[in-house]
Amino acid sequence: MRKEQRHKGWNEIKTNDSWAIFKIMGEFVNGFEKMSKIGPCVSIFGSARTKTDDTYYQLAVDVAQKIVEHGYGVITGGGPGIMEAGNKGAHLGGGTSVGLNIDLPFEQHDNPYIDSDKSLDFDYFFVRKVMFVKYSQGFVVMPGGFGTLDELFEAITLIQTKKIAVFPIILVGSEFWGGLMDWVRSTLLDKFGNISPGDLDLIHLVDTPDEVLDILDKFYAQYNLSPNF
């Protein structure tokens, strides 16, 4: 036990890091090969802790079903809660249902609504996040926790800094997201000037599946569907 708990020396860390490169490369190669074949998809994010009787669970099902009925596939993080709802809606709509699963010590387990040939497993968050960003034609962000916020703000940052192509970022649920957007506008923009006014144009705040589809369809009436980088 003491041996397992000891701190690793610099040389041992260097050796482990060198071998980790091959595992990281393997996850990228596997992800790129599988994701490049799925076609245009929209990612749905949200809390793994959302229960099946929650209003936002059913809303995520309805949003996902509407998305696939309009010709897009759905990508989620593959777990329970909102992720399960997204895959369930895609499954009910007869569309592509992708799950990008991550190995976690709690919360995460595969949901049963992912297409059997479209379930990918990752050990590294950053590899998984690349797959979301590269192959998503839009981000639909339901109420969630730190992980959801992480995906949201990373996407905004990458678009803001022109590291990836612009795609729609849609927050669903003004009751949940309204306070955050008020703070972004009043504090980040007006009070401290830490963002530009145009940055707010990257984000849409809606409450219904029809509004989500309207934003996606209007955007892609002007732009081609393609990987983002």
Side-chain angles (χ1 to χ4, degrees), residues 146-200:
F146 289 130
T148 303
L149 292 171
D150 177 50
E151 297 286 0
L152 167 64
F153 284 113
E154 177 155 10
I156 295 170
T157 301
L158 290 170
I159 294 173
Q160 176 201 48
T161 55
K162 303 187 187 303
K163 293 297 183 182
I164 63 171
V166 176
F167 59 77
I169 297 174
I170 307 167
L171 307 182
V172 181
S174 13
E175 179 186 12
F176 183 87
W177 295 110
L180 174 63
M181 292 307 298
D182 288 343
W183 177 81
V184 168
R185 190 175 293 104
S186 63
T187 302
L188 287 187
L189 178 61
D190 295 339
K191 187 173 182 179
F192 288 93
N194 289 335
I195 61 172
S196 302
D199 293 336
L200 293 176

Side-chain angles (χ1 to χ4, degrees), residues 44-46 48 74-88 97-102 107-115 118-122 128 132:
I44 297 179
F45 298 97
V74 164
I75 303 172
T76 80
I82 294 295
M83 294 176 281
E84 177 183 292
N87 289 123
K88 181 178 181 179
S97 181
V98 182
L100 306 183
N101 308 294
I102 187 76
E107 286 186 7
Q108 185 78 10
H109 58 79
D110 296 2
N111 70 67
Y113 301 105
I114 303 168
D115 293 345
K118 297 179 181 68
S119 181
L120 286 76
D121 296 313
F122 297 89
R128 179 181 183 238
F132 276 124

